[in-house]
Amino acid sequence: MRRLSGSYRSALIIGIQGIRARKLRTLLSMVSLFLGVLAVVVVQAGASIAERALMSDLELRSGYDGTLMIDVMPHEKSPQIVTETLDGRTDALAVISLQAIIGEPGVSPINPGGSPFDQTGWGSTEVCDDAGNCVPGPPTGEAIEVALTAVTGDLLKFRPLRHVSGNWLDFSTVPSLSPRLVINKEAAKGFESHQVPAEMRVRGATANMTPQIVGVIDDGDVQPRAYVRQDELTNWVPAGKLSDPNMGMPIQVLTGQGGPVEQILTTKLRAAGIESYANLIESRKQMEDQLKLMRLVFLSMAGLVLLIGVAGILNVGLATVGERVEEFALRRAVGTPRMLLAGIVLAETLLTGLLTAGAAIGAGVAGLKVLSMLLGSSEPLLRDVQFPWEAGVAGIIAGIIAGVLGGFIPALRAAGIPIATVMRA
């Protein structure tokens, strides 16, 4: 390990002695600088946490970065081709979207169209046949309409769905004749406020089925939604009915980039005359400019606060040099180089800046811990959140910059003190 040279070591030792001899002034300098460095730490930590929150919400809705999403257009053969292609594979899964009504049979749901329970106008209670002829539907009863998502594998590999209660779908067991559902938080609100019978009807099903609600998750969706294993749903809904060419949504296939699934699947679909579109999820790249702008704005605000702290340490440094004129002149008289005198002053301000940075980082860590304890139960993002290391690095850099800027002019003044000053003293 390389040691400091004699001049640097002397400047550091004398700087530490100066801080110990002038504790009150050092404390005043730290107080004036503390808020500026703390602002940088808080802004950097807040920006990092906000960035993670933004990315977490995007991943929650669309999936992890690097996931290849293939939209397969609705066709009567689409479910069969997709299912056969993905059979036995663990590197890909299919997501099929349908509508389902859970509750009292023969009535209209309380949220037509699967609308959120605090909103209306998403859908109609009219009943339409395949030809498009619609008639007024039955009266509203104790039933809830949900967006039903049938999956062929573990969706958690591609989307970070947040656990709320119960269990997620278990794909290691044989398919159950009573479909197991995992509902999202919005759907759970409806089941908590309404007592609905355990009966589910799906368009195209051979009969109404009795579902089991086994868990609740947060998927970031404002619409009531339920997740079910596709092989359990197909016990009641023929595979050809899972995708309606007239009203159905595209089947989404999620897989990794560069895998064989895309080529095999698109080839089979093209042979059957079915269109498909691939899209690589790159949420961070799409939000990069917005994240940079957000960080720049906050850092600019923190920089203004830091300049106020630099002005404070500069004033204290100039006053200290004014009081130590005789000392510096005497050091010059005994042969101390001008650069060493400047180094002594800079060492004091740098050490003061580093001490302030340490205090600000400690306050930031403690504040984030308290915030996590108070709000962690209501805000999942703050639950067991760790202090971002970027904020600590930013605090140290801010302390060093403040020490250099606040000590540069006093250092020049100390280096320029003439030897004759000691004679006048």
Side-chain angles (χ1 to χ4, degrees):
M1 182 176 179
R2 185 177 179 182
R3 292 188 175 184
L4 294 173
S5 66
S7 299
Y8 292 146
R9 187 164 58 249
S10 298
L12 182 60
I13 293 173
I14 297 172
I16 294 174
Q17 291 173 347
I19 290 176
R20 294 178 61 186
R22 284 169 288 278
K23 297 183 180 67
L24 181 58
R25 292 221 168 175
T26 302
L27 181 60
L28 291 175
S29 298
M30 291 179 62
V31 169
S32 65
L33 188 59
F34 178 78
L35 291 179
V37 178
L38 182 61
V40 173
V41 172
V42 171
V43 165
Q44 184 66 35
S48 297
I49 294 174
E51 179 179 337
R52 293 175 188 175
L54 181 60
M55 291 304 303
S56 176
D57 289 340
L58 288 174
E59 290 176 345
L60 192 63
R61 294 190 296 269
S62 57
Y64 291 114
D65 271 14
T67 299
L68 185 66
M69 182 170 61
I70 305 172
D71 287 333
V72 180
M73 294 299 101
H75 191 278
E76 60 181 7
K77 296 182 180 179
S78 295
Q80 181 180 355
I81 294 175
V82 170
T83 303
E84 291 177 352
T85 304
L86 303 183
D87 186 31
R89 303 195 69 95
T90 59
D91 58 345
L93 61 85
V95 177
I96 303 176
S97 298
L98 306 95
Q99 293 294 119
I101 298 177
I102 303 174
E104 188 179 355
V107 299
S108 296
I110 58 177
N111 61 330
S115 63
F117 296 100
D118 56 354
Q119 300 180 25
T120 57
W122 277 44
S124 172
T125 58
E126 291 184 341
V127 178
C128 302
D129 56 22
D130 293 335
N133 301 315
C134 300
V135 297
T140 302
E142 289 298 307
I144 294 173
E145 185 169 352
V146 298
L148 186 63
T149 299
V151 293
T152 61
D154 189 1
L155 189 58
L156 297 182
K157 295 180 180 178
F158 298 95
R159 287 180 59 190
L161 304 179
R162 300 166 185 161
H163 175 265
V164 176
S165 63
N167 300 308
W168 175 243
L169 299 175
D170 185 4
F171 291 87
S172 62
T173 60
V174 296
S176 172
L177 291 177
S178 178
R180 289 165 290 189
L181 304 180
V182 174
I183 59 176
N184 66 356
K185 292 172 63 175
E186 181 64 25
K189 288 165 52 178
F191 287 105
E192 288 175 358
S193 56
H194 297 275
Q195 298 295 325
V196 299
E199 183 172 330
M200 181 170 72
R201 56 188 186 271
V202 179
R203 184 183 180 90
T206 56
N208 291 349
M209 57 204 85
T210 303
Q212 308 174 60
I213 298 177
V214 297
V216 180
I217 51 95
D218 178 11
D219 61 357
D221 196 348
V222 298
Q223 184 180 14
R225 184 173 297 275
Y227 297 85
V228 63
R229 285 175 50 171
Q230 180 187 346
D231 52 4
E232 294 184 350
L233 186 62
T234 49
N235 287 328
W236 302 88
V237 183
K241 298 290 186 179
L242 290 177
S243 181
D244 188 341
N246 299 317
M247 302 178 60
M249 297 289 291
I251 298 176
Q252 290 184 340
V253 176
L254 304 179
T255 184
Q257 185 182 11
V261 173
E262 179 186 8
Q263 183 177 358
I264 297 173
L265 179 61
T266 53
T267 301
K268 290 183 177 180
L269 292 173
R270 194 179 300 115
I274 304 173
E275 295 182 347
S276 63
Y277 304 92
N279 178 40
L280 182 64
I281 297 176
E282 296 178 305
S283 301
R284 182 174 294 276
K285 183 178 180 180
Q286 295 172 0
M287 301 298 298
E288 188 173 356
D289 292 339
Q290 181 179 342
L291 294 173
K292 285 182 178 179
L293 179 61
M294 177 184 68
R295 191 181 295 272
L296 181 61
V297 169
F298 283 112
L299 282 178
S300 299
M301 297 171 60
L304 293 176
V305 181
L306 183 62
L307 286 178
I308 298 175
V310 171
I313 197 173
L314 175 61
N315 289 333
V316 174
L318 288 173
T320 302
V321 170
E323 291 180 356
R324 300 173 66 185
V325 170
E326 291 84 2
E327 175 193 342
F328 290 137
L330 181 59
R331 291 184 182 277
R332 285 281 293 117
V334 297
T336 303
R338 293 180 184 273
M339 291 297 296
L340 181 56
L341 292 180
I344 292 171
V345 176
L346 275 178
E348 291 187 17
T349 55
L350 276 173
L351 289 172
T352 301
L354 289 174
L355 290 173
T356 306
I361 293 171
V365 172
L368 186 60
K369 190 69 175 178
V370 171
L371 193 65
S372 177
M373 293 173 58
L374 294 177
L375 302 178
S377 57
S378 58
E379 294 292 337
L381 184 66
L382 295 177
R383 190 178 303 145
D384 299 325
V385 64
Q386 299 297 320
F387 186 77
W389 64 267
E390 303 98 323
V393 173
I396 294 174
I397 293 175
I400 293 175
I401 292 175
V404 172
L405 294 178
F408 184 72
I409 296 178
L412 290 180
R413 180 164 296 186
I417 295 175
I419 299 176
T421 305
V422 73
M423 304 301 296
R424 292 195 297 267

